[in-house]
Amino acid sequence: MSEASQAAANKPPAPPWALDVRVIAQTAGVDPERGLSAREARRRLQRYGPNRLHHRARRSVLAVLLAQFKSIIILLLAVAALLAFAFGDNVEGTAVLAVIFLNAMLGFGMELRALRSMDALRLLGSVEATVLRDGEAQKISAAKVVPGDVLLVEAGDRITTDMRLFEANRLKADESTLTGESLPASKHCAAVPEAAPLAERSCLLYKGTHVTRGSGAGIAVATGMNTELGRISALVAEAPDETTPLERRLSGLGARLTWLSFAIVLALVPLGLAAGRGLVEVVKLAVVLAVASVPEGLPIVATIALARGMRRMAQRNVLIERLAAVETLGATTCIFSDKTGTLTENCMRVESILLEQGEVLLPPDRSIFELEGQPLEAEPQSTLRRLLEVGVLCSNASLHHGHADEQAVGDPLEIALLVAADRAGITEADLDGVWPEVREEAFDPSTRMMATLHRSAEGIRVAVKGAPEAVLAVCERVATPSGARDLDDAARDAWLERCQEAAREGQRLLTAAEKLVSHSDEPAYAGLTLLGIFAMRDPPRVGVRDALQACRAAGIRVAMATGDLAETAAHIAKQVGLCENPSAWTVQGSQLDADPLEGEALGAVLRAQIVARCSPEHKLRLVQLHQQHGEVVAMIGDGVNDAPALKRADIGVALGRRGTQVAREASDMVLRDDSFAGIILAIEQGRIIFDNIRNFVVYLLATNASEILLVAGATLCGLPLPLYPLQILYLNLLADVFPALALGLGDGRPDVLSRPPRPRLEPVLTRSHWRSIAAWSALLSLSVLACFATALLLGWGPQRAASVAFVALAIGQVLHVFNLRRPGAPLLVNAITTNRWIWAALAVCGLLILLAVYLPGLASVLKVVEPGAEGWGLIAIGACLPLLLGQLYLWYRSPAAKRLA
């Protein structure tokens, strides 16, 4: 065999779009006129399997439950509970297990509700396909379509396989979920070059798209995961599940606290033995203090804070699948958004109509026409009305009047014309009765025009629409308010200039013309009268501009990643306010193919606000590059082509109404009303939640550390125990939880969206927070230790003195919540004092403290005795002194104090 022959033999087969349909049929072993036999179809179904995608497995109820226990803090508490039971302290062990159970049930309930809400968003009902089997057309479940099946499609059908067309009658398909292009793609039967990109493979229909116009027939060349949609779904499956920044931060905090617990045990055992205490007593105390170092309330309060944020967002149509994902948006530094259906409506609208007498505007918020600021009526025989009638007559779309549950069907451009005519009360049904259609000249790419001929009492009315330069070239007259006049070259050039000006603004144009003839066989494209030009646009979503401004104010960069041309993307970017000079901030998706990507090329990609001609692989790499350079990335999208990047991003945000099933399953969050503005609410809630989590962690650790320092200080001073083990658990499990929970439910500071995002690697607690924890805990413990020592000096006995220390520390910990206001915030009106949950927590804690003292059974278990009037006076001093000193310190750090200095 010659080298040429061997090379030809080794050459991979050409893809279906590059092959003649007869070769496709021969390879598939099917007769396009009869389709497969039922027997052959069953055989192929066994061989290739059902025509389904491999969806991401939903988490089971058991998996959601077990996930609640995957926390270092929970594991530490479980160990502490086991040790308590081992020492015979069943009350302490039961109390710790109660905390673990409560946290698990809270998290389980909220995540299970979210899981069920996400399931409800899945597509309902089975999709059917029309196939040719044994020479007869029949409807079957889409899952039973096999490679080689002959499929028949028409307007409104959802495509269930990748299919090679051998028949196309004015066929157009909406492929925006794959390509990002908002306008339908025209389809025909001729093969295209092998190197043609997906958006230019005009002889193929793809699974997941739908037919907007015409009809056709084709051969299934791929099913299930072998389709283009399946390939993208595989990219989603390959993208690893990312842990959120909050999960990483809390995990890091848990690891630190683990080592702190071990250190406490190792330090206190020899210290206690040296002080003459028994081994069992010392070990029990060390274990209790180790538990005290772990904020038992942290999992509970974090879960409730996240759940409350999730519930708030659900009320605003923002659905969260994972609790921890709520906070991550607060740390977001970069948002990537698709264009079609995300920044825009994915719905063409007529913005204006160019007439001879001027530009007629169609305000989006009012159903009127305006010319030079004044309302304009579409009166009978007026140019405006005749133009709107042509837009309806020369169309194959339908608005389904009277069927509110049905969507408009047809080409989006034609639908836009019908909607514009509907403003004037002009409908397809009314015009069909007056001017029944005689024949149609379908749109021809070579002429770029379409015409329909209609019978009337005066003769045959010819309605024409098409590209401006094409229609203008065959117009001889132009309609004016005073009647038609000749359209000379100068006037034609003036119209073309108006068209070019509108095109530069990113509008899509369709020109309408008409004429009256006596016979239906007369040429349609000659001797026409120009009526005017429809100027259309895929409008920005409501609230997008304001949302982008809010993102900039919050220090978040927003970029557009789209499959559209750079020019189209630039127009949208200017319109929504993404950037003022789009050309300076635009890169092509192909620039991401460079390997390695470095230097100025890398810098351009990282700075870009528009990435045009962006494929699914490009979007995925775009997210990865920004994550590698320290960004917390959110990806917003609705199409299949967004899914891999949605899953890879720190937070994937899908659109609920227009979003595809693949996109929703790859996401952490769904905007149920498709409002881009919902992202701002999510970012605000995310930041508030993290601030609240940080506040209550500082509070919990400071109060818990004060217990450790109090016991350690008393031991070092040779004093009796100021706190008993069960008293410490009582403080941690009850008194600390309620103020911490109240902090977690705060409404946040008013400037939460006016500051930049946190650094990606910033922990929950920074060094300054640890210093604050050390200072506050030292202040609390020294004040209570002084009370304890004073009580002993007064001869009150160890149990009464310990009761004074217990109550003083409990009240001091509760009042310490007021020391967490921001320095410089007003003393009486601030985020703490205006939080109604704080006052509720104070009331509950006050009641619990009184019960611990005066409820006989509880007081006996806790070993608390009534402190007496003098004891309560000492308690008041020890509990209030840290609050007074704390408020003086906050005033000292305030701007007012600095100005006085």
Side-chain angles (χ1 to χ4, degrees):
M1 181 183 292
S2 66
E3 291 185 6
S5 300
Q6 186 174 357
N10 293 332
K11 183 179 179 181
W17 60 85
L19 293 174
D20 185 87
V21 73
R22 290 169 293 187
V23 177
I24 296 287
Q26 183 179 1
T27 304
V30 64
D31 179 1
E33 299 297 324
R34 291 189 54 80
L36 297 174
S37 66
R39 181 178 179 181
E40 177 63 16
R42 286 193 298 271
R43 189 185 69 80
R44 295 191 184 192
L45 185 61
Q46 291 180 346
R47 178 182 176 185
Y48 295 105
N51 176 32
R52 295 195 187 101
L53 300 181
H54 299 161
H55 298 304
R56 183 176 68 175
R58 308 303 289 170
R59 288 188 298 166
S60 66
V61 174
L62 180 60
V64 175
L65 179 61
L66 292 178
Q68 310 308 314
F69 299 96
K70 295 179 180 178
S71 162
I72 292 179
I73 292 177
I74 294 295
L75 292 176
L76 277 175
L77 291 175
V79 170
L82 291 175
L83 288 174
F85 286 124
F87 286 124
D89 294 326
N90 296 332
V91 176
E92 290 94 328
T94 303
V96 176
L97 288 180
V99 171
I100 296 174
F101 178 77
L102 178 60
N103 172 74
M105 289 303 100
L106 285 170
F108 173 71
M110 294 306 301
E111 291 207 26
L112 187 62
R113 182 184 300 178
L115 187 64
R116 288 173 176 170
S117 299
M118 294 297 292
D119 288 338
L121 282 173
R122 289 187 171 192
L123 294 177
L124 301 178
S126 60
V127 179
E128 293 186 325
T130 303
V131 299
L132 205 59
R133 296 266 177 94
D134 293 314
E136 295 183 359
Q138 51 185 281
K139 285 188 177 293
I140 65 172
S141 169
K144 295 182 179 179
V145 176
V146 297
D149 256 325
V150 174
L151 295 102
L152 310 177
V153 296
E154 59 184 9
D157 284 353
R158 179 178 295 159
I159 306 303
T160 57
T161 68
D162 287 359
M163 54 187 288
R164 173 67 163 85
L165 292 167
F166 62 80
E167 181 181 316
N169 304 309
R170 303 196 306 271
L171 187 62
K172 289 190 175 184
D174 181 355
E175 298 180 342
S176 60
T177 58
L178 282 175
T179 65
E181 174 55 59
S182 56
L183 287 180
S186 297
K187 298 295 180 177
H188 56 73
C189 303
V192 297
E194 186 173 340
L198 187 147
E200 297 174 12
R201 299 169 192 170
S202 52
C203 58
L204 286 188
L205 288 176
Y206 289 102
K207 180 180 177 68
T209 64
H210 70 272
V211 178
T212 61
R213 177 179 178 181
S215 61
I219 300 172
V221 294
T223 60
M225 293 300 292
N226 294 319
T227 61
E228 186 69 24
L229 181 61
R231 185 182 68 82
I232 297 175
S233 296
L235 286 176
V236 177
E238 291 168 5
D241 288 320
E242 294 293 304
T243 58
T244 67
L246 178 62
E247 290 170 331
R248 293 192 290 268
R249 289 183 176 103
L250 290 181
S251 177
L253 177 61
R256 286 191 177 189
L257 294 176
T258 300
W259 290 110
L260 179 61
S261 299
F262 288 139
I264 289 169
V265 171
L266 294 176
L268 285 180
V269 169
L271 193 63
L273 292 175
R277 294 191 169 94
L279 178 61
V280 174
E281 180 188 6
V282 169
V283 172
K284 286 175 61 177
L285 182 61
V287 170
V288 170
L289 289 178
V291 172
S293 70
V294 179
E296 294 94 336
L298 176 58
I300 297 175
V301 178
T303 299
I304 292 176
L306 291 170
R308 184 170 185 253
M310 181 162 103
R311 189 166 57 251
R312 279 182 172 181
M313 286 189 275
Q315 292 169 353
R316 298 278 295 273
N317 291 317
V318 179
L319 181 64
I320 302 295
E321 184 175 14
R322 276 196 306 165
L323 287 179
V326 178
E327 179 275 339
T328 306
L329 271 165
T332 299
T333 60
C334 180
I335 298 175
F336 285 105
S337 174
D338 191 23
K339 176 186 72 67
T340 305
T342 307
L343 296 178
T344 68
E345 293 282 359
N346 194 19
C347 174
M348 299 301 291
R349 291 179 186 170
V350 177
E351 283 191 338
S352 64
I353 296 172
L354 306 182
L355 300 178
E356 177 67 20
Q357 63 264 42
E359 183 177 13
V360 178
L361 302 179
L362 284 72
D365 55 341
R366 289 175 293 166
S367 297
I368 63 171
F369 301 91
E370 286 184 351
L371 177 63
E372 297 178 353
Q374 298 299 319
L376 179 66
E377 296 292 334
E379 298 176 351
Q381 300 305 315
S382 66
T383 304
L384 176 60
R385 189 172 190 86
R386 289 158 58 196
L387 175 138
L388 294 171
E389 289 174 349
V390 167
V392 175
L393 292 171
C394 192
S395 171
N396 290 298
S398 175
L399 286 183
H400 288 301
H401 284 282
H403 300 274
D405 58 332
E406 295 188 49
Q407 295 182 344
V409 173
D411 186 308
L413 292 177
E414 294 186 344
I415 293 173
L417 301 186
L418 298 184
V419 172
D422 194 54
R423 288 186 176 223
I426 301 171
T427 66
E428 317 99 274
D430 294 338
L431 296 188
D432 287 344
V434 179
W435 289 292
E437 185 175 315
V438 177
R439 70 180 178 89
E440 174 185 323
E441 289 198 13
F443 177 82
D444 187 341
S446 62
T447 63
R448 294 187 295 166
M449 290 183 288
M450 171 188 176
T452 54
L453 287 76
H454 306 265
R455 191 179 306 282
S456 69
E458 295 80 14
I460 301 297
R461 183 178 184 181
V462 181
V464 175
K465 76 173 191 296
E469 56 273 23
V471 177
L472 284 168
V474 295
C475 286
E476 296 180 356
R477 299 168 68 78
V478 59
T480 71
S482 57
R485 61 176 176 80
D486 291 340
L487 184 67
D488 56 25
D489 290 341
R492 188 174 286 107
D493 289 342
W495 274 96
L496 287 173
E497 178 58 34
R498 293 176 72 181
C499 292
Q500 290 171 2
E501 183 178 347
R504 283 193 291 269
E505 294 299 319
Q507 293 178 315
R508 298 181 185 269
L509 308 175
L510 273 181
T511 302
E514 68 174 3
K515 68 176 178 178
L516 195 64
V517 297
S518 55
H519 300 289
S520 61
D521 56 356
E522 292 189 26
Y525 304 134
L528 294 169
T529 298
L530 173 66
L531 297 175
I533 298 174
F534 294 97
M536 292 168 282
R537 195 193 304 271
D538 183 5
R541 286 192 173 277
V542 176
V544 166
R545 178 177 285 272
D546 292 340
L548 291 175
Q549 290 177 347
C551 286
R552 281 192 289 271
I556 301 169
R557 188 171 67 87
V558 181
M560 180 198 305
T562 176
D564 268 340
L565 293 169
E567 294 78 8
T568 306
H571 284 300
I572 295 297
K574 287 188 68 175
Q575 195 174 9
V576 301
L578 181 63
C579 52
E580 292 298 324
N581 185 17
S583 60
W585 302 95
T586 301
V587 298
Q588 296 290 335
S590 57
Q591 293 177 235
L592 288 160
D593 292 331
D595 191 16
L597 187 62
E598 54 191 7
E600 182 55 34
L602 175 60
V605 169
L606 295 176
R607 293 190 303 269
Q609 289 191 271
I610 301 173
V611 184
R613 286 302 190 196
C614 196
S615 69
E617 292 86 353
H618 293 150
K619 291 184 179 183
L620 185 58
R621 191 172 189 207
L622 199 61
V623 170
Q624 292 170 333
L625 282 173
H626 281 76
Q627 288 176 329
Q628 290 167 8
H629 285 80
E631 303 276 9
V632 177
V633 180
M635 175 74 189
I636 310 172
D638 64 345
V640 174
N641 58 341
D642 299 322
L646 285 171
K647 184 173 182 182
R648 173 65 189 184
D650 294 289
I651 285 292
V653 184
L655 303 184
R657 288 182 181 174
R658 304 185 188 216
T660 60
Q661 181 178 349
V662 174
R664 289 197 297 267
E665 289 192 346
S667 299
D668 304 288
M669 185 174 107
V670 176
L671 302 175
R672 288 192 293 192
D673 60 355
D674 291 4
S675 172
F676 184 89
I679 200 72
I680 296 302
L681 171 70
I683 290 171
E684 180 183 37
Q685 286 300 312
R687 292 189 176 187
I688 289 173
I689 286 168
F690 186 82
D691 287 349
N692 290 344
I693 289 175
R694 176 171 274 172
N695 272 344
F696 71 63
V697 169
V698 169
Y699 173 81
L700 284 174
L701 292 183
T703 54
N704 289 1
S706 66
E707 298 160 9
I708 298 171
L709 292 177
L710 176 60
V711 173
T715 302
L716 288 173
C717 295
L719 302 176
L721 283 178
L723 294 174
Y724 299 116
L726 201 56
Q727 290 178 348
I728 294 174
L729 289 175
Y730 188 82
L731 289 173
N732 290 351
L733 299 181
L734 295 176
D736 282 4
V737 169
F738 292 102
L741 178 58
L743 288 170
L745 298 179
D747 292 329
R749 292 159 47 182
D751 64 343
V752 69
L753 286 177
S754 301
R755 63 177 194 259
R758 301 182 308 278
R760 182 183 181 91
L761 300 179
E762 182 178 288
V764 175
L765 300 178
T766 63
R767 289 185 179 180
S768 64
H769 293 111
W770 285 108
R771 287 195 294 268
S772 296
I773 290 169
W776 292 125
S777 59
L779 182 61
L780 280 167
S781 60
L782 288 174
S783 179
V784 175
L785 183 60
C787 287
F788 179 63
T790 301
L792 291 174
L793 290 174
L794 293 173
W796 290 356
Q799 188 172 8
R800 185 183 177 190
S803 298
V804 168
F806 166 71
V807 176
L809 184 59
I811 297 175
Q813 288 180 345
V814 172
L815 294 179
H816 173 59
V817 73
F818 293 106
N819 287 334
L820 296 180
R821 69 178 174 89
R822 180 170 53 91
L827 175 64
L828 299 179
V829 181
N830 53 65
I832 303 297
T833 58
T834 57
N835 183 348
R836 66 182 186 277
W837 299 105
I838 292 291
W839 299 104
L842 291 180
V844 171
C845 289
L847 177 62
L848 292 173
I849 293 169
L850 290 175
L851 289 175
V853 175
Y854 293 109
L855 187 65
L858 182 60
S860 175
V861 171
L862 295 177
K863 299 179 181 178
V864 176
V865 297
E866 207 279 325
E870 292 178 341
W872 278 111
L874 194 57
I875 288 170
I877 296 172
C880 294
L881 186 60
L883 175 64
L884 295 174
L885 293 177
Q887 294 302 308
L888 287 173
Y889 171 72
L890 292 174
W891 176 84
Y892 173 76
R893 287 189 56 196
S894 68
K898 293 178 180 178
R899 284 194 297 269
L900 290 175

